[in-house]
Amino acid sequence: MNYFQDILNAQKRIEPFVTETPVVTSNALNSMFDAEIFFKLENKQEAGAFKFRGATNAVQNLSEEEAAKGVATHSSGNHAAALALAAKNRGIPAYIVMPENAPQIKVDNVKRFGGEITFCAPTLEAREEVLKQVIEKTGAKFIPPYDYYDVICGQGTAAMELIEQAGPFDIVMAPVGGGGLLSGTAIATKKLLLDAQVIAGEPANADDACRSLKAGKIIPSNNPDTIADGLKTSLGDNNFKIIHQFVDDIFTAKEASIRAAMVLLRKQAGIFAEPSSAVPLAAMTENKEFFRGKRIGIIISGGNISEETFNLLTASRND
């Protein structure tokens, strides 16, 4: 399996649909961390997050026969919206199972892109059971949020672009939840920058990926409680294999650090980031010495958060 060639193929496949997002830096943050930091703004991507890359690659790579019955998934938000838009671009239906407590802005995005939503209880078991019913009824193709090779390859195009736009780097960072973005980032980075380290940021309250990497086996997430709602999922099997092979380390961040990083990104770099996107910078704030003097690329994974929610989350910073 040629991982990097498959990312190159994904890049060609998704090019007509995705945005080549900008890379920005901040003199204030560079000074604060005594490092050069470059942010890849996937919050400016179609559907507001990097996940549109993987969803588009998966949808565009379906055969005509597979695509005819549409696609389906379960997701709390960003993958749901991304898949709905990717399906719309191919002219096929998207059936989305969402937990009833999914953020309203993410529900609205799915509806805006024409996805057909079925709500369920906010447990993985409920999501999987309702999705099974939807697929039995429609015959749609299941496109998982992260544990799916075409999705991983699509996500890897973000790091490839980042390196082409602003590299080389000493360190490339991404947040980690299920591991789709991180595994794609690791493949691209290790191919293009032989000496660079790939380091993930993860909430300390949802640190299953960190523990899994250290243990050499998947340790599932157990009732994670973090404002970074996109990072609550456990690592996928395919993702873990790639992460175990290519990722150098995973640094965790406390909730207070995540809130503070959201504010820093907005005030010092003009980046409106959802909590998951701020986790790598939050991890940097807790490990400043490690990053001192380095040239660092960070993927800002998404910006699907309302002004009201942003204000509510960042107003409480004592945890």
Side-chain angles (χ1 to χ4, degrees):
M1 187 177 288
N2 190 332
Y3 288 135
F4 186 68
Q5 184 59 51
D6 290 335
I7 291 177
L8 291 175
N9 294 341
Q11 178 69 22
K12 292 175 186 172
R13 197 174 289 123
I14 70 178
E15 190 174 11
F17 306 101
V18 304
T19 299
E20 183 175 314
T21 54
V23 176
V24 301
T25 189
S26 160
N27 290 334
L29 290 177
N30 289 345
S31 177
M32 187 180 300
F33 286 90
D34 192 18
E36 285 186 275
I37 312 171
F38 296 84
F39 300 99
K40 174 71 167 163
L41 301 186
E42 286 296 291
N43 57 319
K44 303 288 188 185
Q45 188 56 260
E46 300 293 330
F50 75 93
K51 286 183 178 283
F52 185 57
R53 294 176 181 271
T56 297
N57 189 46
V59 168
Q60 291 299 321
N61 207 25
L62 293 175
S63 68
E64 290 298 324
E65 185 180 358
E66 287 174 317
K69 294 180 180 179
V71 290
T73 200
H74 62 80
S75 168
S76 62
N78 283 342
H79 178 64
L83 190 64
L85 181 54
K88 181 181 179 183
N89 286 340
R90 188 157 178 182
I92 62 176
Y95 304 99
I96 312 295
V97 175
M98 299 187 79
E100 56 200 11
N101 64 347
Q104 189 61 43
I105 189 171
K106 297 184 179 182
V107 173
D108 293 343
N109 277 344
V110 174
K111 291 179 178 176
R112 181 159 57 94
F113 299 136
E116 184 177 313
I117 301 174
T118 302
F119 289 104
C120 68
T123 66
L124 181 60
E125 292 78 14
R127 283 161 60 148
E128 290 177 343
E129 178 57 34
V130 173
L131 178 66
K132 182 181 175 185
Q133 294 169 9
V134 168
I135 290 173
E136 285 175 354
K137 179 181 175 183
T138 63
K141 173 73 173 178
F142 174 37
I143 307 293
Y146 47 87
D147 195 7
Y148 191 75
Y149 189 61
D150 282 345
V151 168
I152 291 169
C153 292
Q155 317 307 26
T157 64
M160 190 168 71
E161 275 183 22
L162 168 64
I163 292 164
E164 289 170 351
Q165 290 166 297
F169 299 106
D170 299 306
I171 297 169
V172 175
M173 298 188 73
V176 58
L181 178 61
L182 180 59
S183 48
T185 296
I187 292 167
T189 301
K190 291 297 184 177
K191 178 67 175 181
L192 294 171
L193 302 174
L194 298 181
D195 296 325
Q197 289 185 287
V198 176
I199 295 176
E202 186 175 38
N205 286 6
D207 67 343
D208 60 288
C210 179
R211 288 183 287 116
S212 298
L213 184 62
K214 287 177 170 57
K217 63 180 181 179
I218 293 179
I219 299 175
S221 186
N222 183 25
N223 296 322
D225 181 19
T226 175
I227 60 170
D229 62 290
L231 306 183
K232 290 182 176 182
T233 47
S234 297
L235 286 175
D237 291 335
N238 291 304
N239 311 100
F240 176 71
K241 288 172 188 172
I242 296 169
I243 289 167
H244 188 253
Q245 183 176 352
F246 294 115
V247 172
D248 294 283
D249 209 342
I250 298 174
F251 289 176
T252 62
K254 299 182 178 74
E255 295 295 291
S257 298
I258 299 171
R259 299 178 199 274
M262 290 170 69
V263 174
L264 275 178
L265 285 167
R266 190 164 195 188
K267 287 186 175 178
Q268 305 299 342
I271 299 171
F272 190 57
E274 60 186 82
S276 300
S277 300
V279 172
L281 187 67
M284 284 183 63
T285 65
E286 296 186 23
N287 299 273
K288 278 190 176 181
E289 195 55 44
F290 180 88
F291 295 95
R292 191 180 305 279
K294 301 291 199 307
R295 203 168 193 274
I296 304 154
I298 297 180
I299 298 175
I300 298 293
S301 53
N304 286 320
I305 183 172
S306 67
E307 187 78 36
E308 179 185 15
T309 301
F310 183 96
N311 290 338
L312 280 171
L313 290 178
T314 56
S316 172
R317 290 163 58 187
N318 298 318
D319 51 347

